[in-house]
Amino acid sequence: MQATLQHVFSQPVRSLINGKWSASAAAECVDLLNPASGTRLASIPEGAADDANSAVVAANRSFENGVWSGASAARRKAVLHRLADLLAREATQFDLIDATEMGKPISV
């Protein structure tokens, strides 16, 4: 379990913008700490206005081109069900990450 968390928290944090993983434009980072122990879990980009602007422009472009907004209800339903299935499959991992980040006790 600890090895899995170390792997998760050692990954670079990037944003998915316009279908591509993008590094933050921010030069500064913020330490992510476990509030119960004070242990540093990761260092994450502070974020920048350019990051938000890029995401908004890409989202607007995606809406305008109709790939999602013009998709049939059945297609959107299928995509959202697939997302729900993926989230459910990884729920234990998400729970572990969330508990560690929030400093909650973990019992297995």
Side-chain angles (χ1 to χ4, degrees), residues 34-68:
N34 177 320
S37 66
T39 304
R40 181 182 166 276
L41 301 171
S43 183
I44 60 174
E46 185 175 66
D50 286 347
D51 300 333
N53 290 336
S54 294
V56 169
V57 166
N60 189 50
R61 189 178 314 122
S62 179
F63 178 81
E64 296 291 331
N65 74 20
V67 171
W68 180 257

Side-chain angles (χ1 to χ4, degrees), residues 46-96:
E46 185 175 66
D50 286 347
D51 300 333
N53 290 336
S54 294
V56 169
V57 166
N60 189 50
R61 189 178 314 122
S62 179
F63 178 81
E64 296 291 331
N65 74 20
V67 171
W68 180 257
S69 60
S72 69
R75 173 69 181 139
R76 287 183 284 181
K77 177 183 175 184
V79 170
L80 292 173
H81 275 278
R82 175 72 175 132
L83 175 60
D85 291 344
L86 291 170
L87 291 170
R89 186 182 78 194
E90 301 298 331
T92 301
Q93 182 72 16
F94 288 131
D95 288 345
L96 183 59

